[in-house]
mmCIF file of all heavy atoms in Angstrom:
data_model
loop_
_atom_site.group_PDB
_atom_site.id
_atom_site.type_symbol
_atom_site.label_atom_id
_atom_site.label_comp_id
_atom_site.label_asym_id
_atom_site.label_seq_id
_atom_site.Cartn_x
_atom_site.Cartn_y
_atom_site.Cartn_z
ATOM 1 N N CYS A 2 14.917 -11.118 -2.110
ATOM 2 C CA CYS A 2 14.787 -9.873 -2.891
ATOM 3 C C CYS A 2 13.461 -9.155 -2.824
ATOM 4 O O CYS A 2 13.391 -7.930 -2.792
ATOM 5 C CB CYS A 2 14.986 -10.262 -4.352
ATOM 6 S SG CYS A 2 16.831 -10.479 -4.787
ATOM 7 N N PRO A 3 12.285 -9.972 -2.706
ATOM 8 C CA PRO A 3 11.046 -9.192 -2.600
ATOM 9 C C PRO A 3 10.840 -8.443 -1.431
ATOM 10 O O PRO A 3 10.194 -7.376 -1.384
ATOM 11 C CB PRO A 3 10.033 -10.349 -2.583
ATOM 12 C CG PRO A 3 10.670 -11.441 -3.393
ATOM 13 C CD PRO A 3 12.174 -11.402 -3.017
ATOM 14 N N SER A 4 11.575 -8.800 -0.269
ATOM 15 C CA SER A 4 11.645 -7.984 0.973
ATOM 16 C C SER A 4 12.231 -6.642 0.716
ATOM 17 O O SER A 4 11.783 -5.592 1.257
ATOM 18 C CB SER A 4 12.304 -8.784 2.053
ATOM 19 O OG SER A 4 11.775 -9.937 2.297
ATOM 20 N N LEU A 5 13.268 -6.614 -0.246
ATOM 21 C CA LEU A 5 13.869 -5.352 -0.546
ATOM 22 C C LEU A 5 12.877 -4.463 -1.210
ATOM 23 O O LEU A 5 12.832 -3.154 -1.048
ATOM 24 C CB LEU A 5 15.209 -5.604 -1.326
ATOM 25 C CG LEU A 5 15.843 -4.449 -1.875
ATOM 26 C CD1 LEU A 5 16.353 -3.519 -0.674
ATOM 27 C CD2 LEU A 5 17.039 -4.795 -2.870
ATOM 28 N N LEU A 6 11.963 -5.070 -2.181
ATOM 29 C CA LEU A 6 11.098 -4.265 -2.817
ATOM 30 C C LEU A 6 10.036 -3.530 -1.973
ATOM 31 O O LEU A 6 9.684 -2.419 -2.100
ATOM 32 C CB LEU A 6 10.330 -5.091 -3.901
ATOM 33 C CG LEU A 6 11.216 -5.558 -5.028
ATOM 34 C CD1 LEU A 6 10.310 -6.481 -5.942
ATOM 35 C CD2 LEU A 6 11.733 -4.474 -5.850
ATOM 36 N N VAL A 7 9.580 -4.371 -0.877
ATOM 37 C CA VAL A 7 8.764 -3.825 0.097
ATOM 38 C C VAL A 7 9.334 -2.588 0.790
ATOM 39 O O VAL A 7 8.771 -1.498 1.116
ATOM 40 C CB VAL A 7 8.264 -4.834 1.055
ATOM 41 C CG1 VAL A 7 7.449 -4.272 2.185
ATOM 42 C CG2 VAL A 7 7.490 -5.922 0.396
ATOM 43 N N ILE A 8 10.581 -2.763 1.315
ATOM 44 C CA ILE A 8 11.261 -1.661 2.039
ATOM 45 C C ILE A 8 11.495 -0.398 1.117
ATOM 46 O O ILE A 8 11.316 0.633 1.582
ATOM 47 C CB ILE A 8 12.670 -2.159 2.405
ATOM 48 C CG1 ILE A 8 12.472 -3.206 3.588
ATOM 49 C CG2 ILE A 8 13.507 -1.061 3.098
ATOM 50 C CD1 ILE A 8 13.802 -3.862 4.110
ATOM 51 N N MET A 9 11.824 -0.648 -0.087
ATOM 52 C CA MET A 9 11.992 0.418 -1.074
ATOM 53 C C MET A 9 10.746 1.133 -1.323
ATOM 54 O O MET A 9 10.654 2.395 -1.437
ATOM 55 C CB MET A 9 12.540 -0.126 -2.363
ATOM 56 C CG MET A 9 13.931 -0.531 -2.303
ATOM 57 S SD MET A 9 14.620 -1.316 -3.863
ATOM 58 C CE MET A 9 14.424 0.092 -4.975
ATOM 59 N N HIS A 10 9.632 0.433 -1.389
ATOM 60 C CA HIS A 10 8.256 1.161 -1.657
ATOM 61 C C HIS A 10 7.928 2.019 -0.387
ATOM 62 O O HIS A 10 7.395 3.036 -0.510
ATOM 63 C CB HIS A 10 7.191 -0.013 -1.838
ATOM 64 C CG HIS A 10 5.924 0.580 -2.400
ATOM 65 N ND1 HIS A 10 5.136 -0.167 -3.285
ATOM 66 C CD2 HIS A 10 5.343 1.792 -2.297
ATOM 67 C CE1 HIS A 10 4.105 0.589 -3.637
ATOM 68 N NE2 HIS A 10 4.249 1.787 -3.187
ATOM 69 N N VAL A 11 8.142 1.444 0.836
ATOM 70 C CA VAL A 11 7.906 2.165 2.078
ATOM 71 C C VAL A 11 8.808 3.533 2.092
ATOM 72 O O VAL A 11 8.387 4.479 2.396
ATOM 73 C CB VAL A 11 8.128 1.365 3.342
ATOM 74 C CG1 VAL A 11 7.938 2.120 4.579
ATOM 75 C CG2 VAL A 11 7.105 0.143 3.397
ATOM 76 N N ALA A 12 9.998 3.213 1.740
ATOM 77 C CA ALA A 12 10.976 4.427 1.721
ATOM 78 C C ALA A 12 10.555 5.432 0.715
ATOM 79 O O ALA A 12 10.615 6.637 0.881
ATOM 80 C CB ALA A 12 12.417 3.898 1.345
ATOM 81 N N TYR A 13 10.039 5.018 -0.424
ATOM 82 C CA TYR A 13 9.520 5.974 -1.505
ATOM 83 C C TYR A 13 8.325 6.663 -0.908
ATOM 84 O O TYR A 13 8.286 7.973 -1.118
ATOM 85 C CB TYR A 13 9.098 5.113 -2.670
ATOM 86 C CG TYR A 13 8.249 5.970 -3.698
ATOM 87 C CD1 TYR A 13 8.764 6.795 -4.611
ATOM 88 C CD2 TYR A 13 6.837 5.756 -3.822
ATOM 89 C CE1 TYR A 13 7.981 7.581 -5.478
ATOM 90 C CE2 TYR A 13 5.996 6.498 -4.550
ATOM 91 C CZ TYR A 13 6.626 7.477 -5.424
ATOM 92 O OH TYR A 13 5.890 8.168 -6.236
ATOM 93 N N ARG A 14 7.453 6.067 -0.223
ATOM 94 C CA ARG A 14 6.280 6.766 0.462
ATOM 95 C C ARG A 14 6.714 7.790 1.470
ATOM 96 O O ARG A 14 6.277 8.949 1.525
ATOM 97 C CB ARG A 14 5.336 5.714 1.113
ATOM 98 C CG ARG A 14 4.444 4.961 0.267
ATOM 99 C CD ARG A 14 3.459 4.103 0.959
ATOM 100 N NE ARG A 14 2.380 3.676 0.175
ATOM 101 C CZ ARG A 14 1.244 3.028 0.603
ATOM 102 N NH1 ARG A 14 1.125 2.789 1.928
ATOM 103 N NH2 ARG A 14 0.296 2.684 -0.223
ATOM 104 N N GLU A 15 7.843 7.387 2.297
ATOM 105 C CA GLU A 15 8.205 8.240 3.320
ATOM 106 C C GLU A 15 8.923 9.566 2.653
ATOM 107 O O GLU A 15 8.719 10.683 3.058
ATOM 108 C CB GLU A 15 9.230 7.637 4.101
ATOM 109 C CG GLU A 15 8.468 6.563 5.032
ATOM 110 C CD GLU A 15 9.418 5.716 5.923
ATOM 111 O OE1 GLU A 15 10.817 5.879 5.475
ATOM 112 O OE2 GLU A 15 9.147 5.010 6.755
ATOM 113 N N ALA A 16 9.612 9.324 1.572
ATOM 114 C CA ALA A 16 10.345 10.469 0.891
ATOM 115 C C ALA A 16 9.318 11.384 0.165
ATOM 116 O O ALA A 16 9.444 12.514 0.316
ATOM 117 C CB ALA A 16 11.252 9.853 -0.210
ATOM 118 N N LYS A 17 8.254 10.703 -0.365
ATOM 119 C CA LYS A 17 7.123 11.622 -1.003
ATOM 120 C C LYS A 17 6.484 12.386 0.014
ATOM 121 O O LYS A 17 6.138 13.598 -0.255
ATOM 122 C CB LYS A 17 6.231 10.631 -1.674
ATOM 123 C CG LYS A 17 5.152 11.411 -2.604
ATOM 124 C CD LYS A 17 4.360 10.346 -3.444
ATOM 125 C CE LYS A 17 3.261 11.138 -4.222
ATOM 126 N NZ LYS A 17 2.403 10.172 -5.029
ATOM 127 N N GLU A 18 6.194 11.795 1.184
ATOM 128 C CA GLU A 18 5.539 12.464 2.336
ATOM 129 C C GLU A 18 6.360 13.765 2.822
ATOM 130 O O GLU A 18 5.892 14.781 3.098
ATOM 131 C CB GLU A 18 5.240 11.565 3.409
ATOM 132 C CG GLU A 18 4.512 12.107 4.551
ATOM 133 C CD GLU A 18 2.990 12.417 4.177
ATOM 134 O OE1 GLU A 18 2.552 11.862 3.228
ATOM 135 O OE2 GLU A 18 2.417 13.270 4.879
ATOM 136 N N GLN A 19 7.739 13.532 2.890
ATOM 137 C CA GLN A 19 8.563 14.582 3.227
ATOM 138 C C GLN A 19 8.660 15.692 2.321
ATOM 139 O O GLN A 19 8.715 16.884 2.630
ATOM 140 C CB GLN A 19 9.979 14.089 3.496
ATOM 141 C CG GLN A 19 10.174 13.059 4.721
ATOM 142 C CD GLN A 19 11.533 12.535 4.909
ATOM 143 O OE1 GLN A 19 12.459 12.762 4.091
ATOM 144 N NE2 GLN A 19 11.674 11.765 6.010
ATOM 145 N N ARG A 20 8.709 15.401 1.011
ATOM 146 C CA ARG A 20 8.654 16.405 -0.068
ATOM 147 C C ARG A 20 7.387 17.107 -0.090
ATOM 148 O O ARG A 20 7.297 18.454 -0.216
ATOM 149 C CB ARG A 20 8.945 15.780 -1.426
ATOM 150 C CG ARG A 20 10.315 15.199 -1.627
ATOM 151 C CD ARG A 20 10.589 14.951 -3.157
ATOM 152 N NE ARG A 20 9.505 14.048 -3.682
ATOM 153 C CZ ARG A 20 9.756 12.705 -3.702
ATOM 154 N NH1 ARG A 20 10.939 12.134 -3.275
ATOM 155 N NH2 ARG A 20 8.855 11.986 -4.234
ATOM 156 N N HIS A 21 6.287 16.497 0.186
ATOM 157 C CA HIS A 21 5.071 17.185 0.244
ATOM 158 C C HIS A 21 4.972 18.073 1.468
ATOM 159 O O HIS A 21 4.339 19.267 1.401
ATOM 160 C CB HIS A 21 3.906 16.232 0.373
ATOM 161 C CG HIS A 21 2.471 16.740 0.386
ATOM 162 N ND1 HIS A 21 1.968 17.194 -0.949
ATOM 163 C CD2 HIS A 21 1.604 16.846 1.154
ATOM 164 C CE1 HIS A 21 0.713 17.708 -0.657
ATOM 165 N NE2 HIS A 21 0.417 17.434 0.589
ATOM 166 N N ARG A 22 5.511 17.681 2.542
ATOM 167 C CA ARG A 22 5.478 18.521 3.805
ATOM 168 C C ARG A 22 6.362 19.703 3.652
ATOM 169 O O ARG A 22 6.014 20.804 3.889
ATOM 170 C CB ARG A 22 6.006 17.691 4.947
ATOM 171 C CG ARG A 22 6.109 18.501 6.214
ATOM 172 C CD ARG A 22 6.689 17.671 7.382
ATOM 173 N NE ARG A 22 6.112 16.375 7.458
ATOM 174 C CZ ARG A 22 6.684 15.421 8.150
ATOM 175 N NH1 ARG A 22 7.906 15.621 8.796
ATOM 176 N NH2 ARG A 22 6.104 14.233 8.375
ATOM 177 N N ALA A 23 7.477 19.547 2.912
ATOM 178 C CA ALA A 23 8.448 20.661 2.574
ATOM 179 C C ALA A 23 7.841 21.668 1.690
ATOM 180 O O ALA A 23 8.050 22.836 1.875
ATOM 181 C CB ALA A 23 9.736 20.200 2.085
ATOM 182 N N THR A 24 6.932 21.301 0.773
ATOM 183 C CA THR A 24 6.306 22.110 -0.122
ATOM 184 C C THR A 24 5.151 22.883 0.401
ATOM 185 O O THR A 24 4.988 24.110 0.173
ATOM 186 C CB THR A 24 5.928 21.333 -1.368
ATOM 187 O OG1 THR A 24 6.896 20.628 -1.962
ATOM 188 C CG2 THR A 24 5.299 22.249 -2.469
ATOM 189 N N HIS A 25 4.392 22.355 1.259
ATOM 190 C CA HIS A 25 3.178 22.838 1.708
ATOM 191 C C HIS A 25 3.209 23.446 3.114
ATOM 192 O O HIS A 25 2.191 23.905 3.637
ATOM 193 C CB HIS A 25 2.023 21.833 1.565
ATOM 194 C CG HIS A 25 1.572 21.571 0.153
ATOM 195 N ND1 HIS A 25 2.302 20.475 -0.488
ATOM 196 C CD2 HIS A 25 0.821 22.033 -0.735
ATOM 197 C CE1 HIS A 25 1.893 20.408 -1.797
ATOM 198 N NE2 HIS A 25 0.891 21.350 -1.894
ATOM 199 N N GLY A 26 4.394 23.244 3.847
ATOM 200 C CA GLY A 26 4.480 23.733 5.140
ATOM 201 C C GLY A 26 3.817 22.816 6.214
ATOM 202 O O GLY A 26 3.372 21.685 5.957
ATOM 203 N N ASP A 27 3.570 23.508 7.339
ATOM 204 C CA ASP A 27 2.947 22.761 8.423
ATOM 205 C C ASP A 27 1.423 22.403 8.355
ATOM 206 O O ASP A 27 0.898 21.393 8.902
ATOM 207 C CB ASP A 27 3.030 23.486 9.824
ATOM 208 C CG ASP A 27 4.618 23.615 10.169
ATOM 209 O OD1 ASP A 27 5.423 22.831 9.712
ATOM 210 O OD2 ASP A 27 4.942 24.591 10.902
ATOM 211 N N ASP A 28 0.800 23.132 7.445
ATOM 212 C CA ASP A 28 -0.684 22.856 7.394
ATOM 213 C C ASP A 28 -1.039 21.983 6.140
ATOM 214 O O ASP A 28 -2.064 22.087 5.453
ATOM 215 C CB ASP A 28 -1.326 24.308 7.109
ATOM 216 C CG ASP A 28 -1.244 25.111 8.385
ATOM 217 O OD1 ASP A 28 -1.093 24.606 9.520
ATOM 218 O OD2 ASP A 28 -1.332 26.382 8.168
ATOM 219 N N TYR A 29 -0.139 21.072 5.841
ATOM 220 C CA TYR A 29 -0.159 20.311 4.623
ATOM 221 C C TYR A 29 -1.178 19.077 5.073
ATOM 222 O O TYR A 29 -1.362 18.722 6.160
ATOM 223 C CB TYR A 29 1.070 19.688 4.145
ATOM 224 C CG TYR A 29 1.629 18.600 4.975
ATOM 225 C CD1 TYR A 29 1.495 17.238 4.554
ATOM 226 C CD2 TYR A 29 2.312 18.840 6.247
ATOM 227 C CE1 TYR A 29 2.045 16.183 5.384
ATOM 228 C CE2 TYR A 29 2.670 17.950 7.005
ATOM 229 C CZ TYR A 29 2.706 16.497 6.600
ATOM 230 O OH TYR A 29 3.171 15.613 7.290
ATOM 231 N N HIS A 30 -1.743 18.501 4.007
ATOM 232 C CA HIS A 30 -2.495 17.278 4.106
ATOM 233 C C HIS A 30 -1.779 16.103 3.951
ATOM 234 O O HIS A 30 -1.068 15.949 2.902
ATOM 235 C CB HIS A 30 -3.788 17.243 3.220
ATOM 236 C CG HIS A 30 -4.638 16.085 3.258
ATOM 237 N ND1 HIS A 30 -5.483 15.798 4.397
ATOM 238 C CD2 HIS A 30 -4.795 15.087 2.358
ATOM 239 C CE1 HIS A 30 -6.025 14.687 4.139
ATOM 240 N NE2 HIS A 30 -5.660 14.138 2.945
ATOM 241 N N CYS A 31 -1.746 15.172 4.898
ATOM 242 C CA CYS A 31 -0.921 13.905 4.744
ATOM 243 C C CYS A 31 -1.339 13.075 3.682
ATOM 244 O O CYS A 31 -2.489 12.731 3.464
ATOM 245 C CB CYS A 31 -1.041 13.078 6.034
ATOM 246 S SG CYS A 31 -0.203 13.830 7.458
ATOM 247 N N ILE A 32 -0.309 12.724 2.759
ATOM 248 C CA ILE A 32 -0.641 11.790 1.670
ATOM 249 C C ILE A 32 -0.652 10.315 2.275
ATOM 250 O O ILE A 32 -1.573 9.633 1.947
ATOM 251 C CB ILE A 32 0.550 11.830 0.489
ATOM 252 C CG1 ILE A 32 0.524 13.294 0.031
ATOM 253 C CG2 ILE A 32 0.179 10.857 -0.538
ATOM 254 C CD1 ILE A 32 1.592 13.495 -1.040
ATOM 255 N N TYR A 33 0.367 10.046 3.066
ATOM 256 C CA TYR A 33 0.411 8.764 3.692
ATOM 257 C C TYR A 33 0.490 8.939 5.347
ATOM 258 O O TYR A 33 1.636 9.053 5.710
ATOM 259 C CB TYR A 33 1.590 7.960 3.171
ATOM 260 C CG TYR A 33 1.625 7.731 1.730
ATOM 261 C CD1 TYR A 33 2.533 8.484 1.002
ATOM 262 C CD2 TYR A 33 0.690 6.948 1.035
ATOM 263 C CE1 TYR A 33 2.639 8.329 -0.430
ATOM 264 C CE2 TYR A 33 0.771 6.806 -0.367
ATOM 265 C CZ TYR A 33 1.747 7.445 -1.065
ATOM 266 O OH TYR A 33 1.753 7.325 -2.432
ATOM 267 N N PRO A 34 -0.642 8.872 5.934
ATOM 268 C CA PRO A 34 -0.475 9.036 7.498
ATOM 269 C C PRO A 34 0.385 7.878 8.017
ATOM 270 O O PRO A 34 1.074 8.202 9.037
ATOM 271 C CB PRO A 34 -1.996 8.993 7.910
ATOM 272 C CG PRO A 34 -2.772 9.298 6.571
ATOM 273 C CD PRO A 34 -2.015 8.823 5.489
ATOM 274 N N ASN A 35 0.327 6.845 7.459
ATOM 275 C CA ASN A 35 1.111 5.647 7.892
ATOM 276 C C ASN A 35 1.726 4.979 6.673
ATOM 277 O O ASN A 35 1.183 4.096 5.995
ATOM 278 C CB ASN A 35 0.411 4.724 8.645
ATOM 279 C CG ASN A 35 1.159 3.529 9.254
ATOM 280 O OD1 ASN A 35 2.370 3.499 9.118
ATOM 281 N ND2 ASN A 35 0.535 2.674 9.947
ATOM 282 N N PRO A 36 2.975 5.495 6.382
ATOM 283 C CA PRO A 36 3.508 4.927 5.163
ATOM 284 C C PRO A 36 3.862 3.440 4.997
ATOM 285 O O PRO A 36 3.792 2.887 3.926
ATOM 286 C CB PRO A 36 4.925 5.703 5.075
ATOM 287 C CG PRO A 36 4.814 6.928 5.909
ATOM 288 C CD PRO A 36 3.815 6.395 7.051
ATOM 289 N N GLY A 37 3.946 2.785 6.176
ATOM 290 C CA GLY A 37 4.061 1.303 6.227
ATOM 291 C C GLY A 37 2.696 0.557 6.126
ATOM 292 O O GLY A 37 2.866 -0.700 6.095
#
């Protein structure tokens, strides 16, 4: 089960990064350059 939590946390970071990119366009500042 803890492995699932790690995967979910990484997926949350990736989704947050995608939302930030969609909001600020191509010139956005990366929140998580490497989500993993």
Side-chain angles (χ1 to χ4, degrees):
C2 285
S4 300
L5 177 61
L6 293 178
V7 174
I8 294 176
M9 291 175 62
H10 198 148
V11 174
Y13 167 77
R14 282 186 164 192
E15 292 174 346
K17 186 175 181 180
E18 185 70 22
Q19 291 177 357
R20 291 195 301 268
H21 186 71
R22 181 188 305 169
T24 302
H25 296 84
D27 296 334
D28 297 331
Y29 77 103
H30 176 70
C31 290
I32 303 176
Y33 304 110
N35 184 2

